[in-house]
Amino acid sequence: MKLKLTKAWYEARSEAEKKCMDATAGKALTSEDKKTTSSKSKRSSAARAARRTPTASKVRRAK
Amino acid sequence: MKSSEVLIRDCQSQLLVKAKLISGVTIRQAQLAQTFWSRELERFLEKLPRENWPEHRGWNWEAKHKKYGRLAAYQFYGIECQDQMQGLLLLSTILRTSRIPKQKGKQILYVVYLSTAPWNLPNLTDTPKYSLVGSVLIAAAIQASQDEDCQGRIGLHALPQSEKFYRLCGMSDLGIDQEQEDRLKYFEMTKESADNYLSGKKR
């Protein structure tokens, strides 16, 4: 394989990769975001657990 | 194993440095890369929150080489610099055709796996060692496609963290592939975008 890439190519791709890196950095969560995400997941897992676990009144009714 | 000279960028000095593009990576090279990469990856993961972990952290290049290395329809490429593998690519030459309606029936090469060493990943470290590794590997895939008379056409399924990179390479986003196990987005490079990519034209 003969891959011939010019200096201009390397410069152009460096610029494109930089854009990509900036986008990645922008996506990184701030500490505030992390708090929200973690509390959201805690809330949803609590909701899931509540759906799975029958309440005492439901158990009584079923009996 | 054949090798040719390419350049990658040293992120610290910002200079372009010489590297080797290897076609026909050996099992020994894949084993060594895997050993170094997994050790470094573990070190990085210890310090990172789980949501920032790379999606391809479970890839094992030694296992991939054992699975595909002896099959004629698969080719391994690597970029080596300072005696260390900086990135690896697995290409498939099994007959596949374009999914772009206007390119229907035209043959493409398929990028099975592509990754760079953990120390080059900006989502793992604020001070990556080298950049341009992924870009050069994509150029190698396009060149291989041209060598196989596929006119530079390549296709791949991208992990969500890499979608932006492939868009910036000029690949067309064909949306989520419903038939693919992991429901990943499918991307394709047309002949025109491949020509643009190799010539370094800005999009």
Side-chain angles (χ1 to χ4, degrees):
Chain A
M1 171 188 286
K2 281 180 189 170
L3 188 59
K4 284 182 187 166
L5 301 167
T6 62
K7 276 271 163 74
W9 183 87
Y10 288 107
E11 294 307 330
R13 286 308 308 164
S14 297
E15 219 176 284
E17 280 201 10
K18 195 180 172 304
K19 271 188 206 168
C20 194
M21 275 167 78
D22 292 346
T24 309
K27 246 193 274 174
L29 297 174
T30 63
S31 55
E32 271 313 299
D33 290 336
K34 277 176 204 161
K35 273 184 214 161
T36 321
T37 315
S38 109
S39 59
K40 258 186 200 167
S41 69
K42 270 181 205 157
R43 270 203 302 276
S44 58
S45 58
R48 273 196 303 276
R51 279 198 296 275
R52 276 197 307 270
T53 319
T55 58
S57 59
K58 277 182 188 164
V59 173
R60 270 198 303 275
R61 255 180 269 138
K63 279 180 185 172
Chain B
M1 184 191 91
K2 288 177 188 168
S3 71
S4 57
E5 191 185 291
V6 289
L7 301 174
I8 54 176
R9 193 174 293 280
D10 180 324
C11 295
Q12 212 180 358
S13 67
Q14 283 301 307
L15 295 172
L16 290 169
V17 292
K18 285 179 185 172
K20 260 197 300 189
L21 171 66
I22 301 165
S23 74
V25 169
T26 63
I27 179 72
R28 176 82 186 127
Q29 287 169 320
Q31 277 167 343
L32 275 174
Q34 184 58 43
T35 307
F36 285 116
W37 291 15
S38 46
R39 200 175 58 194
E40 283 298 299
L41 183 64
E42 266 177 44
R43 212 169 55 83
F44 284 122
L45 295 186
E46 277 171 15
K47 298 177 209 155
L48 271 181
R50 199 168 253 271
E51 59 264 30
N52 291 2
W53 286 8
E55 291 153 336
H56 66 283
R57 60 188 176 276
W59 289 7
N60 182 322
W61 283 93
E62 182 185 348
K64 291 182 196 314
H65 203 292
K66 281 181 181 160
K67 187 174 176 185
Y68 299 102
R70 290 184 187 184
L71 304 173
Y74 291 88
Q75 300 164 357
F76 279 90
Y77 293 86
I79 292 181
E80 209 178 66
C81 187
Q82 285 193 323
D83 293 324
Q84 274 199 318
M85 201 59 86
Q86 304 297 337
L88 283 164
L89 159 74
L90 175 60
L91 262 186
S92 161
T93 55
I94 291 173
L95 178 65
R96 285 171 203 253
T97 52
S98 174
R99 297 188 190 181
I100 298 174
K102 279 186 182 172
Q103 311 261 322
K104 214 179 167 187
K106 307 242 165 101
Q107 284 189 38
I108 62 161
L109 288 199
Y110 183 72
V111 175
V112 192
Y113 297 104
L114 186 158
S115 75
T116 64
W119 50 81
N120 296 330
L121 283 171
N123 52 346
L124 281 185
T125 169
D126 294 333
T127 53
K129 220 169 171 185
Y130 297 106
S131 64
L132 291 176
V133 176
S135 292
V136 174
L137 286 173
I138 286 292
I142 293 171
Q143 185 62 57
S145 164
Q146 289 181 344
D147 294 347
E148 296 278 338
D149 291 328
C150 297
Q151 298 181 299
R153 290 185 195 90
I154 56 170
L156 57 87
H157 287 92
L159 290 169
Q161 284 172 346
S162 317
E163 288 171 3
K164 172 100 184 169
F165 172 77
Y166 294 118
R167 272 189 213 107
L168 283 167
C169 287
M171 297 185 79
S172 311
D173 177 354
L174 302 187
I176 290 172
D177 183 350
Q178 299 296 342
E179 285 170 22
Q180 204 253 356
E181 205 182 340
D182 301 315
R183 300 281 188 275
L184 297 177
K185 280 192 176 178
Y186 179 74
F187 287 77
E188 247 186 56
M189 177 86 83
T190 61
K191 178 193 178 301
E192 292 70 29
S193 5
D195 290 342
N196 279 342
Y197 185 84
L198 287 188
S199 68
K201 274 186 198 163
K202 281 182 190 169
R203 299 175 63 232

